[in-house]
Amino acid sequence: MQRRRSWLIWLAGAVMTAITLALLMRASNLRFENSDDALILKAFMGFEGGVPADFSMNMHPLLAGALHALALCNPAVPWFSLFQVGLLLLSATVLVKAGFQLARGQQFPWLAGLAAGCVTLSVCVAFVLCRVNHTTTAALAGAAAVAQALSVTTAHTRGQAVRGMLLCLLLAATAYLLRLESVWPALALILLVFGWQVLYQPGDKMPHARGTALVGALTLVCVVAALVGTRLWVVQARGLQADQDWHAARIALMDYTDFEADPAPALAASGPLDATEIELARRWFFMDAAMTTEALQTLADAYADEPAPAPVTRLADFLRDNPRQLYTLAITALLCALCWLGDRRTHPGAALAATLALAAALVFLFYLALRGRLLARAADAVLLPAFALTLGLALLKPPKRGLLRRGLAALLLLGVLLGTGLQARQTHYEITRAPDTVSLQREAALERFALANPDLLIARSPNLLRDTRLLPDVSAGVPGNLILWGDWACHTPGWYAQLARYGLDGHALRAQDWLGTPLVLASADPAETDALCAWLSQALGMPVAAEPLAQADEFTVYRMTAAR
C-alpha cells in the first residue's frame, strides 16, 4: 500500500509539472533568460574554435567534463540545454511530490497537497522553467533538495528514509556542479533541516529520521568538501589559477563598481592603462595583454572610497523594482507565521526552524546588498529554498484547535493565495512583455557570415550579443570563428585555443594583432568602432581606420587597416 501511494505521489508531481510546462508554452516560449547560458552552451557545442570546451569558469569540472564527453559524441546536440531542462523538470516534480508527502498530517491530505503543489509551481517553478538561467536552475534544484530533505520526516521505513536522503544529496550535488555560488543558501537550509530532525524528531514516532538526518548531514559536508577540493585540484593541475585571479579582478571592476557609468575615478588612478584603453575596458574589451590582473584591480580599487547606497536602501529599492521576489518573500513570511499557529505537539521546533529559515533568507539578501550586486537571479537562489522549507514546515503542522487560531490561519492562507495570484500575474507579464526576435535574426545572420568566411576570426563586442536560444540551429554547421572581444569568455582554455588556431597568442595580445591577421570586428555601434580605432592609432603610432568588409541589417564587419 505504501509503495502504491509513493508511485501515485510521484505521478501527481510529474503530471502537475507537465501541465505547468504546457501552459507556459502556450503563453510564451522556453528560452534562456539572458545570453550567459547561450555562451556556455555554444562553448560546449564547439563554437570556440570548432572544438567542444572541456572547462568552464562557471561550473564544476566534473559537469564540464561530462558535457565535453557528450559533445565529442555529437556536438550538434545542445547537451547543456537538455541537462538544464531535465534538471528543472525533475526539481519541479520533487517539489510537488514532497508537498503531497508533507501534507499527510492535514485533515484533507490530497487536497492540501494539491493546493501546495499549485502554490509551489506558481511561486517557484513557472518563471524559472520558462526563462532558463543556470543560476536559477541550480536554485530550483537546491529548493527541491531542501523539500526532499524535509520529506524524509514522513518516512515509515529505514529504506524509504535512505532513498529519500540519497535523492536530496543528488539534487544538492547536481546544483553545486551547475552553479557553485548559487547553492550555498540551499546547503545552509538543508543543514538546518537535518539539525531540526536530529534535535526535535520523536524517536518513538519517527525512528529513522534522526539517524538518517545525522548521516545525511555528515555525508553532505563530505560531498561538498570533496567537490570543492576536486575543483581546486583541477585548477591547480591545469595551471588556471592566474586566469581565475584575472576573472576575480574583472568581476571586482565590472560588476561591483560604477566603472561603466563613471570612468572618472579610473582615469584619475595612477594605473598602467591610458585613457583609450580605459575607454575600451568600459566597453568590455580585454583583448590586450596590458589589461592584466593588476591593472584591472588597480582600476577597481580606485572606486573603493566612492559613496554607495546603504544596504537597507539598496535592498528596499530592489524589492520595489522586482515584484516577483517581493511576493516570494511575503509568501515565505506568511508561511512562517502559519507555522506558529500549528499544534505544538505536532513536530515541535518546526516554527522555530521556519523562523530561522526566514531570518537566513533576509541575512543572505542583506549580504548581497552589502556586496553591491543584488540581482533577481541571485535573490531567487536565496528565496526559493527558503520558500520550499517554510511551505513544507507549514504542511507538517495542522492548525491547533480553537476558533481564534483557525481564523488567523485562514487569514494567513488567504494571504498566501493572494500572493500566489499576484506572483502568477507578474510571471505572465514578464514572460510575455518582450518577445525575443534578435536571436532568430542577428545571430543567424552573423553565424551565416562566419560559416561563409572560415578564414576570418570575427570578434564582436558584448553589445552585439543577444542570444537566448535553447536549441540553436546548427544544421548548416558550427561556426568556430566567432569570438567575443571581452566578457568572461576571455582568459579561458577555449578562448586561448581559439586564438591559437588563427596564429594569435592569447597571453600576449597586442594592438598590432589587429593588422595583417585574420582578426576582424563585427559591430553595430559606431562608438565601439571609433574607440577601437583610437586605441590602435595611439598604440601603433599611426592612423588606423576601420574598413567595411561586409554589411548586414544589424551589424557591419570591419577590417582594421593603416589609414592612407
Side-chain angles (χ1 to χ4, degrees), residues 261-305:
D262 180 18
L267 291 169
S270 56
L273 301 183
D274 60 31
T276 58
E277 290 171 318
I278 289 175
E279 177 60 25
L280 277 174
R282 288 180 61 224
R283 301 176 183 275
W284 294 80
F285 175 88
F286 301 118
M287 295 183 69
D288 183 52
M291 295 184 181
T292 61
T293 302
E294 293 74 18
L296 297 180
Q297 190 60 55
T298 299
L299 295 181
D301 292 341
Y303 291 82
D305 297 329

Side-chain angles (χ1 to χ4, degrees), residues 399-422:
K400 189 176 180 180
R401 295 182 181 277
L403 183 60
L404 179 59
R405 279 180 174 268
R406 294 202 170 187
L408 290 175
L411 288 176
L412 291 175
L413 284 173
L414 183 62
V416 169
L417 295 177
L418 177 61
T420 302
L422 293 173

